[in-house]
Amino acid sequence: MSRVDVVVTGLGATTPLGGDVASTWDAMLAGRSGVRPLTQEWAADLPVRIAAQLVVEPSEVLERVKLRRLDRSEAIALIATQQAWADAGLADAGLDSERLAVSIGTGIGGVQTLLAQDDIMESSGPRRVSPHTVPMLMPNGPAAWVGLELGAKAGVHSVASACATGAEAIALGLDIIRSGRADVVVTGGTEAVIHPLPIAGFSSMRAMSTRNDEPEKASRPWDKARDGFVLGEGAAVLVLERADHARARGARVYARFAGAGITSDGYDIVQPHPDGEGASRAIAKAIADAGIARTDITHVNAHATSTPVGDMAEIAAVRKALGDHAVLTATKSMSGHLLGAAGALESVATVLAIYHGVVPPTINLDDPDDGLDLDVAAHKARHMDIPAALNNSFGFGGHNVALIFTRA
């Protein structure tokens, strides 16, 4: 495959920390939590009554007529895309639509639409079900709507690999540009499943924190008192571009997307390999793909969801594949876990860390696990030189994705 340089020229996001990239990034640097109590009536009897909900509702951004045809996951994917597209300055760039591709994934998809329309059918009969139901619930819906919004004709792709989805969609974007199929790929992840059924399901697995009385302290990666992840919602989108294409139009470049590594555990449907074996292979593959020395990587945005097993399996993987010199952070401590959008939001954070030379903090790391023997930027942001950074994402089913970005 051709070794063309690929760069990041646009960023967009709507998250539990802010309605755009700037406000989300400011909240991360300040160490603010986006986790809040669930005040909806349906949450009263749930064992978990906290989540990281969007700061800005889609209805504040998109027209009501448009929203009626969109699942929440589709709406926020469009919002993040509009931001990234504007940020990249592509609106008036005269881009050939046959050289524009989309790669946007979701881990669960339009579950809110599915459950709401099922309720309507049960209560009012099949004739009351919306004619927009199928396009709203299909998992390729977010990617399809983004493709339509931008008029992309080089391919619209939808990845679904649980919590590794956003990162894998971005890795696919790298492959698309390297293959020569497109000059620009709009890529990322979206998820909006804060609903009683997913919460009940995750709760039954004992995967979620039950710290209902202290929501801001519930997501605590690597801390001895961690008791599970906090469900979040949101979308994040990056514009990837062939470097010479970006240079020719005078685009601002945030970072170079240097390499990606993808592996699978072959171990368990929900548990990671306890030694992080598959994760370490993904990191090693990403380093080899990027063509850099592992010592060039001085920062890691970890997957670190705040689960007892997963957090330390990742530490083992990083230590084995990368060594002990890099500074880690876990931005899920603030944003919660955005599932299929997590890897995309954390890629945005990784790119901005390189661009600004600052690592966002990991909050709530008050009593580190005894096995945490790597350097973590705890409690406050750390300014430092970051020539290259690693972003890890792992998902149910044993999906492992490692992405490496370098200074432009």
Side-chain angles (χ1 to χ4, degrees), residues 182-378:
D183 299 321
V184 176
V185 179
V186 175
T187 182
T190 184
E191 204 79 86
V193 294
I194 296 178
H195 181 282
L197 183 61
I199 292 174
F202 281 126
S203 297
S204 293
M205 295 171 62
R206 298 183 179 178
M208 298 180 72
S209 174
T210 56
R211 199 181 287 255
N212 294 314
D213 297 332
E214 296 180 299
E216 293 182 353
K217 296 181 180 180
S219 184
R220 41 197 320 112
W222 302 309
D223 191 84
K224 284 181 181 177
R226 67 190 185 277
D227 66 333
F229 75 87
V230 176
L231 182 61
E233 62 179 351
V237 169
L238 295 79
V239 175
L240 305 181
E241 195 165 349
R242 212 180 67 238
D244 58 348
H245 186 275
R247 195 161 45 244
R249 67 181 189 87
R252 181 264 325 280
V253 172
Y254 285 105
R256 176 173 168 261
F257 185 9
I262 299 175
T263 66
S264 50
D265 281 354
Y267 177 76
D268 189 82
I269 192 65
V270 293
Q271 296 286 348
H273 191 284
D275 298 328
E277 187 274 336
S280 68
R281 285 189 293 111
I283 297 168
K285 285 177 180 291
I287 293 170
D289 187 45
I292 62 175
R294 68 180 195 169
T295 50
D296 293 333
I297 299 170
T298 58
H299 167 48
V300 179
N301 190 306
H303 183 64
T305 62
S306 190
T307 58
V309 176
D311 284 10
M312 299 317 295
E314 182 176 11
I315 291 298
V318 170
R319 189 188 306 108
K320 178 179 179 181
L322 192 62
D324 61 2
H325 64 279
V327 175
L328 279 66
T329 197
T331 48
K332 286 186 184 74
S333 62
M334 297 171 283
S335 69
H337 191 357
L338 274 58
L339 305 183
L345 176 57
E346 287 146 26
S347 289
V348 169
T350 304
V351 165
L352 289 174
I354 293 170
Y355 189 68
H356 293 294
V358 57
V359 174
T362 301
I363 65 171
N364 299 324
L365 184 55
D366 301 323
D367 188 10
D369 192 291
D370 292 338
L372 182 62
D373 55 359
L374 301 179
D375 189 6
V376 175

Side-chain angles (χ1 to χ4, degrees), residues 38-330:
L38 289 168
T39 57
Q40 298 90 332
E41 285 186 17
W42 52 254
D45 296 327
L46 290 172
V48 172
R49 297 183 298 279
I50 56 174
Q53 302 171 88
L54 291 173
V55 171
V56 178
E57 282 295 309
S59 58
E60 297 179 43
V61 183
L62 298 177
E63 306 87 351
R64 186 175 299 176
V65 173
K66 194 168 191 176
L67 279 174
R68 282 204 294 263
R69 302 177 63 189
L70 299 170
D71 181 76
R72 189 174 178 88
S73 65
E74 297 172 337
I76 60 178
L78 279 175
I79 290 167
T81 294
Q82 289 168 358
Q83 294 176 14
W85 191 254
D87 188 45
L90 284 165
D92 301 312
L95 182 64
D96 180 358
S97 60
E98 294 187 13
R99 302 292 298 165
L100 170 64
V102 171
S103 174
I104 290 181
T106 179
I108 297 178
V111 68
Q112 295 209 36
T113 292
L114 175 65
L115 295 170
Q117 293 301 315
D118 181 66
D119 288 344
I120 289 170
M121 186 169 73
E122 294 290 337
S123 62
S124 305
R127 294 184 182 275
R128 302 300 297 173
V129 171
S130 169
H132 304 302
T133 297
V134 173
M136 289 171 72
L137 66 81
M138 61 190 194
N140 67 309
W145 276 112
V146 167
L148 291 168
E149 174 93 355
L150 302 178
K153 296 180 180 177
V156 171
H157 306 272
S158 182
V159 171
S161 49
C163 307
T165 295
E168 189 164 339
I170 294 168
L172 176 59
L174 178 66
D175 287 347
I176 290 170
I177 294 178
R178 283 177 173 176
S179 73
R181 285 176 48 205
D183 299 321
V184 176
V185 179
V186 175
T187 182
T190 184
E191 204 79 86
V193 294
I194 296 178
H195 181 282
L197 183 61
I199 292 174
F202 281 126
S203 297
S204 293
M205 295 171 62
R206 298 183 179 178
M208 298 180 72
S209 174
T210 56
R211 199 181 287 255
N212 294 314
D213 297 332
E214 296 180 299
E216 293 182 353
K217 296 181 180 180
S219 184
R220 41 197 320 112
W222 302 309
D223 191 84
K224 284 181 181 177
R226 67 190 185 277
D227 66 333
F229 75 87
V230 176
L231 182 61
E233 62 179 351
V237 169
L238 295 79
V239 175
L240 305 181
E241 195 165 349
R242 212 180 67 238
D244 58 348
H245 186 275
R247 195 161 45 244
R249 67 181 189 87
R252 181 264 325 280
V253 172
Y254 285 105
R256 176 173 168 261
F257 185 9
I262 299 175
T263 66
S264 50
D265 281 354
Y267 177 76
D268 189 82
I269 192 65
V270 293
Q271 296 286 348
H273 191 284
D275 298 328
E277 187 274 336
S280 68
R281 285 189 293 111
I283 297 168
K285 285 177 180 291
I287 293 170
D289 187 45
I292 62 175
R294 68 180 195 169
T295 50
D296 293 333
I297 299 170
T298 58
H299 167 48
V300 179
N301 190 306
H303 183 64
T305 62
S306 190
T307 58
V309 176
D311 284 10
M312 299 317 295
E314 182 176 11
I315 291 298
V318 170
R319 189 188 306 108
K320 178 179 179 181
L322 192 62
D324 61 2
H325 64 279
V327 175
L328 279 66
T329 197

